Amino acid sequence: MSIEFDNNLPIYLQIMTYLKKEIIIGKLQPGDKIPSVRELASELQINPNTVQRTFQELEREGIVETRRGLGRYVTSEESKIMEIKKEMAGDLLERFIRGMQELGFKDQDIITIVEDAVKQP
């Protein structure tokens, strides 16, 4: 696992986003075991407390579940995974639209640009 950290965002949020993407694209399947706190902290060369916070937040959101004595696993709830996918898509879309508007594009211009881009082979 390789993450280039952005100094402007908390590390635990960046790890959360990374793990969510891994789940959405299928690299981490529902029911898969995720690395332990120690393994991930060692691999990313960060404080284990940061990884622990990441896992606590993912568990709070229902994305991972702890199985006592066995570790943490990706949720098996497909609806939860789809919810995460839609949420991340919405965030991406919002940033894109805001950026286009900052460049001076009107809503219809943005729609036309997106339609043209989607039609490209």
Side-chain angles (χ1 to χ4, degrees), residues 11-85:
I11 291 174
Y12 84 96
L13 289 176
Q14 294 176 65
I15 298 169
M16 282 181 67
T17 300
Y18 177 84
L19 290 172
K20 286 178 180 180
K21 283 182 183 176
E22 294 288 289
I23 293 167
I24 289 169
I25 63 174
K27 283 190 177 179
L28 286 172
Q29 296 286 319
D32 280 358
K33 188 176 192 305
I34 61 175
S36 71
V37 170
R38 285 186 193 159
E39 290 170 339
L40 195 53
S42 175
E43 189 174 334
L44 297 175
Q45 298 180 350
I46 60 173
N47 189 312
N49 293 331
T50 303
V51 177
Q52 181 64 32
R53 181 165 184 199
T54 300
F55 288 169
Q56 287 172 339
E57 288 297 316
L58 289 171
E59 194 165 343
R60 188 183 59 74
E61 291 183 14
I63 298 164
V64 300
E65 50 196 41
T66 299
R67 297 181 190 161
R68 189 176 172 130
L70 298 174
R72 289 185 176 88
Y73 293 80
V74 175
T75 184
S76 296
E77 291 182 43
E78 293 288 338
S79 62
K80 187 64 182 173
I81 294 170
M82 186 53 69
E83 181 183 317
I84 296 163
K85 189 173 188 173

